[in-house]
Amino acid sequence: MTKKKVDLLITNASELITLQGWSQKPALAVQMRDLGIIRKGSIAIHNGKIVATGKASEIERTFSGKESIDATGEVVMPGFVDPHTHLVFAGFREDEFEMRIKGLSYMEILQRGGGILKSVQETRKASEEQLVENCKKTLDIMLEHGTTTVEAKSGYGLTLKDEMKCLRVIQRLNKEHPVTVVPTFLGAHAIPAEYERNADEYVKLIIDEMIPAVADQKLAEFCDVFCEKEVFNKDQTKQILLHGKTHGLKPKLHADEMTAFKGAELAAEVEAVSAEHLLFASIAGLKAMAKKHVNAVLLPAAAFSLMLSRYANARKMIEIGIAVALGTDFNPSCWVENQQTIIALACRQMKMTPAEAITAVTINAAHAIKRAHEIGSLEPGKKADVIILNIPNHKFLGYRFGTNLVNKVIKEGKLVVDRE
Amino acid sequence: MTKKKVDLLITNASELITLQGWSQKPALAVQMRDLGIIRKGSIAIHNGKIVATGKASEIERTFSGKESIDATGEVVMPGFVDPHTHLVFAGFREDEFEMRIKGLSYMEILQRGGGILKSVQETRKASEEQLVENCKKTLDIMLEHGTTTVEAKSGYGLTLKDEMKCLRVIQRLNKEHPVTVVPTFLGAHAIPAEYERNADEYVKLIIDEMIPAVADQKLAEFCDVFCEKEVFNKDQTKQILLHGKTHGLKPKLHADEMTAFKGAELAAEVEAVSAEHLLFASIAGLKAMAKKHVNAVLLPAAAFSLMLSRYANARKMIEIGIAVALGTDFNPSCWVENQQTIIALACRQMKMTPAEAITAVTINAAHAIKRAHEIGSLEPGKKADVIILNIPNHKFLGYRFGTNLVNKVIKEGKLVVDRE
């Protein structure tokens, strides 16, 4: 029998983590612990897509690779999907980090004109070109740490012109960088200084001008709102998200991050694709989310960086049957590019097992950005976004922390990172 | 004027963090925030030693370098000193990590024959050669993340033969790897299974046989004890440390980690070089430590990995005037090699400022292992252990986390890591 020729074989992984079976619906409850592991597993890749996965002996009997990577003793798994980042901004906020150490809260810093509004000032000043360069540096680091798809929000422009600029940056990144970037419009990230006493006016601007323009130019897939006390209230959030929906922008929302604000309930009501943070979500709200299949995107690095004493109740969400995903929340006050760090935090601070956390940064993260049909698991027909980790089994993710365990990154069939 | 020729110049750092002034006595209280920063600073290095530091213009007027590294826009500082690691062991404990996530305590796992005792079994089985290879891999990773000197404890042998084997491993590493390794004898790390009901007998073995043998062969500088409820009590600890002292081994102890055990008081009483962990130390104990100049070595990654709800009260210690140092506590249940991760944890979980944390991983860490005369700051005459970080100022350490910010490592004047 002649073997079928393919572009690339990755052979003999100690664990080939396929995560197969959850492409139609996310992994829920105990399913989150079922990684679809093939021991001594191989994967065949052709034209940037996965052709087959299976036992090494079987794959090597069927296929021959133009190129081949030996993964003996290593873990092979889908590239990380980061479903929540504020990728596009200018400047840094290291001074504010020190203020937080000394006890100032996020809202206090925001009210002093710091926080998001400082980044807004700098982002408005920055050219599209400068922003593209900043983002490429970040995406390089993300890719080096195994992230192959990232959701990216606007939200540091807060004018029609500047929000459009940030979304065009994302559009360009998609063409100019190997990482896939999924765009979200977050004009409702903060109330800009010029609308300080007139939030409703700003909401009107978002609805009347920004959303139509974004939709018209197809610059975003999702519309997100920072629904929070002293930011956007529930009515404003609902208006924006429902209006976004009518323009084809799927709803997401920052919900119950700092206070119990019934954001989870609202996420269910508007049938959001995902609700993010959820530290103060009520049980009733979580149950409503489960019923409406709203994904939870948990962001433990935000709680860690804001030095909150609370983390989202991941165990309760998993028990209730919510699809839990994990993201970095990369932003100027939570400067972390590495989903391995998020796994380490999720295991320790939210008591997720390594298997649950892995599901949350792959297939469930893909569901949270409506990409599960093409990424997030290693199954025939999906994009060959694959990472190879220098660890003998998946339980080392979380257990070992603080260093990069990813050795190689394959993006749509191409070896784009090789750290050996 | 002819310029003086030196081996290496590192020029024009945006911040040259010298940490000068604390070589005789560690930095205390507000001194911990004084990093001795020279903006647009350069450093001249010759024969593996620091010759001069100063403003770039001044250094470049005085010296010419055979080699030169341009550090424009980057931070240059002393290599990290890691004053507390359990470097030498065989095997992994990733299964136990999952048990902890599911709620088992450290002591419960230990009592089930897991924990330290599992690593003891595997370390006894391992050859000296295997252990050297394991440790070299770890030291490679540490060096890549900026650590140029590391304290290393025995303590997974727990027989005369196996403790000596582990200490010989450390001795060999010092010759075969660029990282400087400072040896500590920790025969009193756990009560071995074979002495389960007869701890005093094991203490006698440590005192009568191990300490004299270790001292005789000059295999350690320090003697350490895990002083803790259900491990070594205060009397046993005191006996061991005082006996070690008579053999020239300087005392250190794991104190008040899991329970309030008056370990800090004991550290003061025996005039230990350092007391480690200190999560449950009493205020009276801390004041006694300050009076006797006992260094505190805080290990937030241990609390993080053991998922304790408490961290050491660093702020109180700094207020009282204790010299605070930070270490990784690298060991099979706390698998982290990276002192940058420790800074990130210290800032968030113990409210140390980035400057305080930097002092704690450099000059104060050097004091905690009696090496402040030769490392821990950038001052003429000291070893040229220097790191270059890809950040514009020191406040980015802690603020940015989860990735390696170190670009270059110079060990005793030689460029040993270059990640660009």
Side-chain angles (χ1 to χ4, degrees), chain B residues 370-390:
Chain B
K370 293 273 182 197
R371 283 293 191 285
H373 57 290
E374 59 179 21
I375 56 167
S377 63
L378 302 182
E379 295 178 271
K382 282 199 168 182
K383 282 188 186 178
D385 290 358
V386 184
I387 58 180
I388 304 177
L389 294 94
N390 182 24

Side-chain angles (χ1 to χ4, degrees), chain A residues 368-380:
Chain A
I369 56 171
K370 292 272 182 198
R371 284 292 191 287
H373 56 290
E374 59 180 20
I375 55 166
S377 63
L378 302 182
E379 295 178 271

Side-chain angles (χ1 to χ4, degrees), chain B residues 3-4 6 9 44 51-52 58-65:
Chain B
K3 291 185 187 180
K4 198 177 161 199
V6 293
L9 288 181
V51 175
E58 178 191 316
I59 294 293
E60 283 158 58
R61 197 161 48 230
T62 316
F63 299 95
S64 77

Side-chain angles (χ1 to χ4, degrees), chain A residues 40 87 149 188 207:
Chain A
K40 295 196 174 295
L87 184 68
T149 297
I207 288 175

Side-chain angles (χ1 to χ4, degrees), chain B residues 45-268:
Chain B
I45 292 168
H46 198 65
N47 283 337
K49 296 269 173 71
I50 296 164
V51 175
T53 62
K55 284 279 181 194
S57 53
E58 178 191 316
I59 294 293
E60 283 158 58
R61 197 161 48 230
T62 316
F63 299 95
S64 77
K66 286 179 213 163
E67 308 267 349
S68 180
I69 297 172
D70 178 5
T72 302
E74 297 183 299
V75 166
V76 174
M77 62 177 284
F80 297 128
V81 178
D82 189 343
H84 184 127
T85 82
H86 301 262
L87 184 68
V88 190
F89 60 87
F92 309 105
R93 301 224 302 268
E94 79 278 16
D95 282 327
E96 182 186 311
F97 178 64
E98 202 158 306
M99 289 181 211
R100 283 206 303 271
I101 291 170
K102 290 174 182 167
L104 268 70
S105 76
Y106 177 89
M107 294 310 279
E108 283 166 335
I109 292 167
L110 187 62
Q111 280 153 11
R112 290 180 187 198
I116 292 176
L117 296 180
K118 180 171 182 284
S119 297
V120 168
Q121 280 179 0
E122 300 191 62
T123 305
R124 286 178 180 175
K125 276 186 226 153
S127 69
E128 192 175 312
E129 197 56 48
Q130 284 170 321
L131 292 169
V132 167
E133 288 315 304
N134 286 355
C135 290
K136 281 183 181 172
K137 280 183 202 162
T138 303
L139 291 177
D140 284 346
I141 297 172
M142 288 178 165
L143 189 65
E144 191 179 296
H145 292 82
T147 297
T148 46
T149 297
V150 57
E151 186 256 17
K153 303 175 196 297
S154 68
Y156 294 102
L158 309 190
T159 64
L160 174 62
K161 178 170 79 66
D162 291 301
E163 285 294 302
M164 297 295 277
K165 175 177 74 179
C166 293
L167 290 169
R168 280 196 309 272
V169 167
I170 297 173
Q171 193 179 44
R172 278 187 52 187
L173 291 169
N174 249 318
K175 293 176 191 152
E176 298 174 21
H177 197 280
V179 171
T180 304
V181 190
V182 175
T184 294
F185 168 62
L186 179 59
H189 190 199
I191 295 155
E194 59 274 23
Y195 288 91
E196 199 189 337
R197 284 161 205 283
N198 207 349
D200 281 331
E201 197 67 25
Y202 183 61
V203 171
K204 199 168 169 327
L205 176 71
I206 291 173
I207 288 176
D208 292 348
E209 300 188 30
M210 293 188 187
I211 286 176
V214 169
D216 183 56
Q217 297 193 31
K218 299 195 191 316
L219 284 173
E221 289 180 38
F222 298 97
C223 179
D224 193 350
V225 177
F226 188 8
C227 179
E228 183 59 66
K229 196 177 161 194
E230 295 177 41
V231 192
F232 295 95
N233 66 33
K234 277 189 73 173
D235 279 348
Q236 293 164 336
T237 303
K238 189 172 163 182
Q239 273 185 65
I240 293 168
L241 292 180
L242 292 181
H243 191 76
K245 249 187 172 175
T246 66
H247 281 78
L249 299 175
K250 297 174 204 99
K252 280 178 173 281
L253 66 160
H254 287 62
D256 301 316
E257 180 182 4
M258 311 284 179
T259 54
F261 206 60
K262 297 208 183 296
E265 285 84 344
L266 181 60

Side-chain angles (χ1 to χ4, degrees), chain A residues 33 92-95 97-98 100-102 141 144-145 301 304-305 307 311 332-338 341 344-345 347-349 351-354 392-393 395-404 419, chain B residues 33 92-95 97-98 100-102 141 144-145 301 304-305 307 311 332-338 341 344-345 347-349 351-354 392-393 395-404 419:
Chain A
R33 300 188 180 192
F92 308 104
R93 301 224 302 268
E94 78 278 17
D95 282 328
F97 179 64
E98 201 158 307
R100 285 205 303 271
I101 291 171
K102 290 174 181 167
I141 297 172
E144 191 179 296
H145 292 81
F304 184 61
S305 276
M307 304 170 206
Y311 285 76
S333 71
C334 176
W335 202 300
V336 58
E337 299 92 344
N338 183 357
T341 305
L345 282 166
C347 291
R348 287 169 179 78
Q349 306 289 44
K351 303 289 183 288
M352 292 174 73
T353 65
N393 70 59
K395 292 179 184 176
F396 280 72
L397 269 168
Y399 166 61
R400 284 189 59 173
F401 66 109
T403 60
N404 187 4
R419 299 179 63 239
Chain B
R33 300 191 180 191
F92 309 105
R93 301 224 302 268
E94 79 278 16
D95 282 327
F97 178 64
E98 202 158 306
R100 283 206 303 271
I101 291 170
K102 290 174 182 167
I141 297 172
E144 191 179 296
H145 292 82
F304 184 61
S305 276
M307 304 169 204
Y311 284 76
S333 71
C334 175
W335 202 299
V336 58
E337 298 92 344
N338 183 356
T341 306
L345 283 166
C347 291
R348 289 169 179 78
Q349 306 290 45
K351 304 288 184 288
M352 292 174 73
T353 65
N393 71 57
K395 292 179 185 178
F396 281 71
L397 269 168
Y399 167 60
R400 284 189 58 175
F401 66 108
T403 61
N404 188 5
R419 299 178 64 239

